[in-house]
Amino acid sequence: MGAHFNLALILLALATPIAFADDPSPLQDTCVAVSDSTSAVFVNGKFCKNPKLLTANDFLFEGLDKPGNTSNNLGSKVTPVFVDQLPGLNTLGISLVRIDFAPYGLNPPHTHPRGTEILVVLEGALSVGFVTSNPDNRLITKVLNKGDVFVFPIGLIHFQYNQGKTNAVALSGLSSQNPGVITIANAVFGSKPPIYDEVLAKAFQLDKKVIDYLEAQFWVSN
């Protein structure tokens, strides 16, 4: 019995990291997210619609063919198709975004804490990259052309930049219905309330006046 118990512990230890790696597997065909809790079941952060009341529109998102408005400081626009935009994604562990770039537009350094991202360039060319974790902090970067595909591992800081003089468009799939986004500059210098100046000054080895200047900027939420 001792051997069986030890084997069970080993299998549990091996399985534990996987269990927390991504969205849980669904235990039913559908769980269309609804805001009304009346006679609904709460699953994975959302209430589920009665399966007998499902319609095709629960699994439909329209308009991803329309360009996003890139007239902002970054020159880019992310159009998400997460569970909030497409309720039928609930419990399915997948989502999608369209990213539009004006010439020299940037999708700034950010992370997705709950999802790996795979990106394909539809139009134009993009310079992309991600940074590995401590202690190496190695930049893995590549220039992508139309039809090229690149993967950004879950949780790592990454970016996309249009170095060309024409617009660029990309589609990304993510391994979560709600992968989350942490834009580094927004989180560090635009938090509410602000992170203490002395903390940021010491962390970035900058004068507090520089920190005050950075915190006073308008950080675009993309």
Side-chain angles (χ1 to χ4, degrees):
M1 181 174 176
H4 290 292
F5 181 72
N6 290 336
L7 178 60
L9 288 178
I10 293 172
L11 291 175
L12 179 61
L14 291 174
T16 299
I18 299 174
F20 291 97
D22 53 17
D23 293 352
S25 298
L27 298 178
Q28 56 199 55
D29 289 344
T30 66
C31 180
V32 173
V34 292
S35 56
D36 182 11
S37 62
T38 305
S39 67
V41 179
F42 194 71
V43 177
N44 204 25
K46 300 287 184 181
F47 289 103
C48 293
K49 188 175 186 178
N50 186 332
K52 295 180 180 179
L53 302 178
L54 298 180
T55 70
N57 286 337
D58 293 324
F59 304 92
L60 174 68
F61 179 92
E62 297 178 311
L64 209 60
D65 60 316
K66 297 177 175 61
N69 184 1
T70 59
S71 59
N72 54 57
N73 292 348
L74 296 173
S76 70
K77 176 61 178 177
V78 176
T79 303
V81 187
F82 297 162
V83 67
D84 287 340
Q85 292 79 36
L86 182 54
L89 286 177
N90 195 38
T91 74
L92 299 185
I94 193 169
S95 59
L96 181 72
V97 299
R98 169 178 173 146
I99 316 173
D100 288 275
F101 298 86
Y104 307 109
L106 170 70
N107 191 14
H110 62 281
T111 73
H112 301 293
R114 295 182 293 275
T116 291
E117 176 179 355
I118 183 167
L119 176 144
V120 57
V121 178
L122 301 182
E123 297 292 342
L126 294 173
S127 176
V128 307
F130 66 85
V131 179
T132 63
S133 57
N134 296 348
D136 294 337
N137 298 134
R138 182 184 173 196
L139 174 63
I140 309 296
T141 185
K142 187 73 175 177
V143 174
L144 306 181
N145 296 301
K146 182 177 180 179
D148 289 346
V149 177
F150 199 82
V151 172
F152 306 100
I154 184 171
L156 297 186
I157 296 174
H158 60 282
F159 65 88
Q160 300 102 24
Y161 177 53
N162 180 10
Q163 293 180 308
K165 298 180 180 179
T166 60
N167 294 337
V169 182
L171 281 180
S172 284
L174 297 112
S175 61
S176 171
Q177 67 181 40
N178 184 20
V181 182
I182 302 172
T183 305
I184 306 305
N186 299 47
V188 173
F189 299 110
S191 68
K192 298 178 181 60
I195 299 173
Y196 298 131
D197 282 3
E198 52 267 35
V199 172
L200 296 181
K202 190 166 187 177
F204 289 94
Q205 297 295 290
L206 295 172
D207 188 273
K208 288 185 179 180
K209 292 182 179 179
V210 178
I211 298 298
D212 289 338
Y213 170 79
L214 291 171
E215 289 180 330
Q217 302 308 302
F218 176 72
W219 298 104
V220 175
S221 177
N222 205 20

